Amino acid sequence: MLRTVVLISGHGSNLRAFLGACADGTVPATVVAVGADSEAPGLEHARSAGIPVFVEPLERGVDRDAWGDRLADVVESCAPDLVILSGFMRVLPPTFVHRFAPMIINTHPSFLPEFPGAHAVRDASAAGVTETGASVIVVDDGVDTGPILAQRRVPVLDGDTETVLHDRIKIVERELLAEVVRDLAARGSAVLQEN
Ligand code: GRF
């Protein structure tokens, strides 16, 4: 079982799905804590499952490296095998990434390297593409630039609102994340070095 810390920033629907997959045994992982950069609504999914939560706010004017160190200290205190960013909307400083690399992965709602960054679904909609995708990557020092562990295409349908499209993408994100974590549990970090 992979001891896992999940970091979120929003509603945590992907977190909720991941917790369900851990609970029903389809993913060999135990979420030992959930963290956020603010009092994110998604933390409720952890609380209701009896999982410890923590918040390390990144307030305006706060030194990002110092914030990253504080966040890393809390994450490290959970002794994770794996750190998952799932809807975590902050760029983590290299000092944080290097403390957990390569066992730090991120889900992203596009077929990277298409549409990196915080507005991937909006950007795909605006670009008028007929398909986009979902990706799971290893987090590196860049923004959505790390090695791709899994990705799959998702169709953009006529009349899609951003929310409808994002919900369709999230379903695939959740499937890809489960596949990647099963692979990591079975083959360890060798999986991450292959990419
Ligand atoms: C996900 O699509 C994630 O990839 C992106 O933000 C979304 C978070 O959704 N960074 P939720 O908070 O899990 O509902």
Side-chain angles (χ1 to χ4, degrees):
M1 299 290 271
L2 287 174
R3 288 177 57 85
T4 303
V5 170
V6 182
L7 298 181
I8 66 169
S9 293
H11 289 90
S13 67
N14 284 355
L15 165 68
R16 184 181 59 217
F18 188 74
L19 291 176
C22 294
D24 70 18
T26 52
V27 169
T30 304
V31 177
V32 295
V34 175
D37 56 295
S38 70
E39 191 46 54
L43 292 175
E44 198 45 43
H45 301 310
R47 291 192 178 98
S48 58
I51 295 170
V53 303
F54 58 86
V55 176
E56 273 302 328
L58 177 56
E59 280 139 6
R60 190 177 305 282
V62 167
D63 175 79
R64 186 177 288 266
D65 285 344
W67 168 74
D69 290 343
R70 285 197 308 277
L71 184 63
D73 289 345
V74 177
V75 173
E76 199 162 45
S77 71
C78 303
D81 301 309
L82 177 65
V83 179
I84 296 175
L85 311 185
S86 186
F88 190 67
M89 301 305 282
R90 299 290 189 178
V91 176
L92 289 162
T95 48
F96 181 100
V97 174
H98 297 166
R99 293 237 317 239
F100 303 102
M103 293 297 274
I104 173 169
I105 63 177
N106 181 35
T107 65
H108 184 78
S110 77
F111 199 85
L112 290 170
E114 300 165 3
F115 308 118
H119 306 290
V121 180
R122 184 190 70 186
D123 295 346
S125 299
V129 295
T130 57
E131 60 177 12
T132 179
S135 304
V136 178
I137 63 171
V138 179
V139 176
D140 66 4
D141 290 357
V143 177
D144 301 323
T145 54
I148 295 170
L149 297 174
Q151 59 183 175
R152 196 182 306 157
R153 283 290 183 188
V154 176
V156 182
L157 305 177
D158 289 345
D160 271 349
T161 64
E162 185 179 330
T163 300
V164 164
L165 176 55
H166 203 163
D167 286 345
R168 185 179 308 124
I169 292 170
K170 286 181 184 179
I171 292 169
V172 177
E173 281 186 70
R174 294 161 195 166
E175 292 169 358
L176 292 178
L177 181 60
E179 287 168 21
V180 165
V181 175
R182 278 195 292 270
D183 205 16
L184 284 172
R187 300 195 296 134
S189 60
V191 173
L192 303 170
Q193 266 96 23
E194 282 166 6
N195 292 281

